[in-house]
Amino acid sequence: MTSELLTTLATSAVVSAIVGGLVTFLSQSRLLSRKAQLDYELDAKRRLYQAIGPLRLQLLLASRDVVRRFQQHHEHPWNMSTDGYYVKSCIYRLLAPLAIGQLIERKMSVVDFTVDRDAISLLRFITSAERMLTGGEVVLDHPDVDWSTQSQHLFRDNLRAAANELIESEDGRLITFAEFDESCTLEKNSKLKPLAHIFGKCSSSLTENSVFWARIIGYCFACSEHLNSASADSLGFSKRPIPIGPMLQASKDEHFVSRVDDFKRVLEETLAEGF
């Protein structure tokens, strides 16, 4: 065997060893990196569940209560006195999902939401729900909409302030209706009074305030769709579709009654847009 051949073989062996070592190093590096990523995601999901696990269920229950309360509101006359049970319980149910949403948002500073797409969908729902009650899309450019006062909606920051009244300040939890009923007088609470006045100015039904009623329908739609989510299904919640057409027609407002299909489309687009 010639010296040139020996040199070539030795060189090839060295190169093979180097390449093999490099491949092994890179493979191990990728495996370690992947393991670190999986370990991080597992720990992040554990912390996320600890932080918002109970709130997920509370939000589903609160969304169910919204649908239950308002999906048949248009079919009956009600006592709309602001010092009566019906209005007070309506306002509690209306604000409860938004209050829970604020509690979820507070957890964003201590947990990583990106490891769970379903958790991100909670934030999308919260944003969409607020837009249903405060935004411009859902009212379909109604000619009589009043943006200067809170007669047909609450200003968004005021809506959030009203929802915050349902959060116990010391331990940061949603108060029960019994606690709300005992501690709060609607007409004496500056945060809740504007919303109470919207109810109180109706004689027997929210359908008398067609713009606000359209917002309620949109809000019910958002809650109904949240009950159709994968997490709701996994927990045994049943689907609760709402009768958008009959609810909207009950307002007897020609601007809405003649545009039911447009209204449905806007609700779907608002919900799909999310953040």
Side-chain angles (χ1 to χ4, degrees):
M1 185 177 294
T2 66
S3 60
E4 290 183 357
L5 179 58
L6 290 174
T7 300
T8 299
L9 291 174
T11 302
S12 298
V14 171
V15 171
S16 297
I18 293 174
V19 171
L22 182 59
V23 170
T24 300
F25 172 77
L26 292 175
S27 298
Q28 291 179 341
S29 179
R30 283 196 294 269
L31 288 173
L32 290 173
S33 178
R34 180 57 179 161
K35 181 179 182 303
Q37 180 66 22
L38 291 174
D39 288 344
Y40 169 79
E41 290 180 0
L42 181 63
D43 184 59
K45 287 181 179 180
R46 177 184 60 79
R47 288 185 284 111
L48 179 63
Y49 179 79
Q50 291 175 340
I52 68 168
L55 293 175
R56 289 180 195 253
L57 178 59
Q58 287 185 46
L59 185 58
L60 288 168
L61 292 171
S63 297
R64 178 204 62 187
D65 289 345
V66 167
V67 175
R68 280 181 173 177
R69 171 53 57 94
F70 293 106
Q71 67 178 346
Q72 295 180 326
H73 173 86
H74 62 291
E75 297 179 353
H76 310 280
W78 304 95
N79 176 10
M80 302 298 284
S81 172
T82 57
D83 59 2
Y85 164 79
Y86 182 73
V87 168
K88 199 167 191 178
S89 63
C90 277
I91 288 177
Y92 177 85
R93 294 191 186 201
L94 188 70
L95 295 176
L98 304 179
I100 296 168
Q102 290 186 33
L103 292 175
I104 291 173
E105 288 176 343
R106 293 179 186 181
K107 303 297 183 180
M108 293 180 64
S109 62
V110 296
V111 293
D112 183 356
F113 271 64
T114 62
V115 298
D116 188 340
R117 295 182 63 86
D118 191 48
I120 295 175
S121 71
L122 297 178
L123 299 182
R124 293 174 61 87
F125 162 72
I126 295 162
T127 301
S128 299
E130 289 182 348
R131 289 178 59 204
M132 296 291 190
L133 292 172
T134 63
E137 299 89 346
V138 70
V139 299
L140 299 178
D141 296 319
H142 196 290
D144 297 328
V145 67
D146 180 4
W147 292 109
S148 63
T149 70
Q150 296 185 103
S151 60
Q152 300 165 333
H153 73 298
L154 294 191
F155 303 140
R156 186 164 186 173
D157 288 339
N158 289 351
L159 177 65
R160 292 180 64 84
N164 190 61
E165 292 296 289
L166 272 61
I167 298 176
E168 208 284 327
S169 58
E170 292 187 3
D171 53 11
R173 63 174 177 82
L174 182 75
I175 62 175
T176 65
F177 175 72
E179 292 173 311
F180 178 73
D181 187 34
E182 181 179 355
S183 63
C184 177
T185 301
L186 295 178
E187 292 291 341
K188 293 182 179 180
N189 186 303
S190 62
K191 308 291 178 56
L192 300 172
K193 189 175 181 178
L195 186 56
H197 279 187
I198 292 176
F199 278 80
K201 288 182 178 179
C202 298
S203 60
S204 62
S205 173
L206 289 174
T207 59
E208 298 163 28
N209 186 334
S210 62
V211 174
F212 184 70
W213 179 239
R215 295 188 181 284
I216 291 293
I217 298 172
Y219 186 56
C220 282
F221 175 74
C223 290
S224 174
E225 289 300 296
H226 185 57
L227 293 172
N228 293 339
S229 64
S231 59
D233 183 66
S234 67
L235 291 172
F237 282 82
S238 58
K239 295 182 179 180
R240 293 181 177 272
I242 63 170
I244 295 177
M247 290 177 75
L248 194 63
Q249 292 166 359
S251 70
K252 299 180 180 179
D253 185 325
E254 186 59 27
H255 182 82
F256 290 124
V257 171
S258 64
R259 303 179 65 186
V260 173
D261 290 341
D262 289 339
F263 184 73
K264 292 179 179 178
R265 173 181 53 77
V266 167
L267 297 189
E268 291 171 353
E269 290 175 352
T270 301
L271 198 62
E273 186 173 341
F275 297 130

